[in-house]
């Protein structure tokens, strides 16, 4: 049976300038040359990394931290957050002075204009301030919500929504993810559809939302620029993304 590698995007595929290093492009090319299947596992919605998929010719991916799975260009799974949960989240966040982003497969919108937390968090991904459409969630399949709050403020939401986890990825932003969902659950769905074994599955990541993924796959690799907690659960810590970390990692593993 063959091998498959899942790559996180921010801080793994993309460097600190939000660009794909030449060494990463070369690593992906060499992996394919060796017969290794390459896929993406990200917290982003599909429209937020279309250019990356095209640049690396990748059409299998786990999006929304596992809430959507696409295999060979065909969607095989998408989770929808219930309207009742979204309405309660809007109510609680409004009371607390926090903003939200609603993530659909082809669009991301926010419910407040001119929030510096939104501007800084999205700016860190090199994404302009999203359009403000407060009732966007009505009639749309929303798979993930972003909560814009300061570090620690998400704990009250965890109490309000016991069926969900709040995973921080920026000083002003958290992903709201269904409790039993993660990149790992999405990866399991993808490899089952493709016929790979979890033992022959590799994953590279740098953030706290990569924790379950690195612990679940056969070999989990943390980037040198990764979160210290993530490095503790990794099977291997490679160089940072700005120091050809992906290339060096697959080389150390003997995949190229």
């Amino acid at each position: 049976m063959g091998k498959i590698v899942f790559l996180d995007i921010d801080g793994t595929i993309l460097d600190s300038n939000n660009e794909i290093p030449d060494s990463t492009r070369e690593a992906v090319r060499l992996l394919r040359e060796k017969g290794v299947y390459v896929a993406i596992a990200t917290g982003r919605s599909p429209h937020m990394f279309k250019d990356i998929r095209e640049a690396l010719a990748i059409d299998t991916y786990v999006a929304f931290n596992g809430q959507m799975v696409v295999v060979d260009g065909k969607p095989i799974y998408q989770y929808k957050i219930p309207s009742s949960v979204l309405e309660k989240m809007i109510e609680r966040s409004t009371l607390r002075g926090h903003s939200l982003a609603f993530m659909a497969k082809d669009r991301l919108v926010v419910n407040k204009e001119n929030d510096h937390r939104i501007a800084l968090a999205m700016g860190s991904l090199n994404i302009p301030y999203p359009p403000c459409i407060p009732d966007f969630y009505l009639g749309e399949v929303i798979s993930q919500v972003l909560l814009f709050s300061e570090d620690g403020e998400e704990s009250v939401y965890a109490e309000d929504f016991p069926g969900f986890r709040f995973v921080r990825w920026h000083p002003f932003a958290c992903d709201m993810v269904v409790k039993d969902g993660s990149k790992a659950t999405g990866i399991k769905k993808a490899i089952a559809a493709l016929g790979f074994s979890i033992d022959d599955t590799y994953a590279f990541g740098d953030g706290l939302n990569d924790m379950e993924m690195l612990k679940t796959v056969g070999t989990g690799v943390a980037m040198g620029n990764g979160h210290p907690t993530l490095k503790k659960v990794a099977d291997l810590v490679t160089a940072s993304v700005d120091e050809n970390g992906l290339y060096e990692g697959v080389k150390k593993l003997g995949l190229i």
Side-chain angles (χ1 to χ4, degrees):
M1 187 177 287
K3 300 179 188 299
I4 182 169
V5 175
F6 284 87
L7 307 175
D8 168 53
I9 291 179
D10 299 289
T12 303
I13 289 177
L14 296 181
D15 62 19
S16 57
N17 295 316
N18 287 306
E19 295 176 350
I20 305 174
D22 289 341
S23 63
T24 293
R25 295 174 189 268
E26 179 68 358
V28 170
R29 185 189 72 79
L30 290 172
L31 285 168
R32 287 209 179 94
E33 198 174 87
K34 291 287 187 179
V36 179
Y37 197 103
V38 184
I40 284 172
T42 181
R44 293 186 180 215
S45 62
H47 81 281
M48 293 168 68
F49 61 101
K50 186 171 182 283
D51 56 337
I52 295 167
R53 298 199 305 273
E54 290 172 350
L56 298 177
I58 293 173
D59 58 7
T60 291
Y61 56 88
V62 172
F64 300 124
N65 288 307
Q67 310 320 297
M68 184 174 187
V69 180
V70 173
V71 172
D72 293 332
K74 296 176 183 176
I76 65 166
Y77 172 76
Q78 185 173 6
Y79 172 76
K80 179 181 180 180
I81 299 176
S83 297
S84 58
V85 171
L86 293 172
E87 286 164 3
K88 182 180 174 183
M89 188 65 186
I90 292 165
E91 177 199 343
R92 299 295 166 89
S93 61
T94 301
L95 284 171
R96 293 165 181 152
H98 297 146
S99 303
L100 302 174
F102 307 110
M103 300 177 75
K105 68 177 181 180
D106 55 1
R107 206 169 178 198
L108 180 152
V109 307
V110 295
N111 69 345
K112 191 181 287 186
E113 293 178 334
N114 303 318
D115 185 328
H116 74 284
R117 293 167 296 196
I118 295 175
L120 289 169
M122 301 313 295
S124 73
L125 303 177
N126 206 28
I127 293 171
Y129 202 101
C132 179
I133 309 174
D135 62 354
F136 174 77
Y137 71 97
L138 296 170
E140 289 282 343
V141 177
I142 305 301
S143 295
Q144 185 168 280
V145 169
L146 303 184
L147 168 68
F148 298 97
S149 67
E150 298 198 17
D151 196 5
E153 292 181 327
E154 67 273 19
S155 60
V156 290
Y157 293 93
E159 293 171 14
D160 291 342
F161 300 90
F164 291 82
R165 295 182 298 121
F166 291 82
V167 184
R168 186 159 291 279
W169 55 269
H170 184 273
F172 293 137
C174 290
D175 293 328
M176 179 184 182
V177 185
V178 66
K179 198 143 202 173
D180 60 356
S182 66
K183 291 184 182 183
T185 58
I187 284 173
K188 286 179 182 177
K189 289 179 173 68
I191 65 172
L194 289 164
F196 288 97
S197 159
I198 197 73
D199 293 336
D200 294 319
T201 303
Y202 299 73
F204 286 71
D206 72 307
L208 292 176
N209 65 338
D210 297 316
M211 187 78 68
E212 295 85 2
M213 173 173 81
L214 264 59
K215 288 164 75 172
T216 300
V217 298
T219 305
V221 184
M223 303 297 288
N225 49 284
H227 194 285
T229 306
L230 185 73
K231 292 179 180 179
K232 290 178 183 175
V233 305
D235 298 300
L236 173 71
V237 177
T238 185
S240 81
V241 65
D242 291 336
E243 297 172 336
N244 306 320
L246 183 59
Y247 183 93
E248 294 300 326
V250 294
K251 191 176 177 183
K252 275 184 187 175
L253 292 170
L255 294 173
I256 61 172

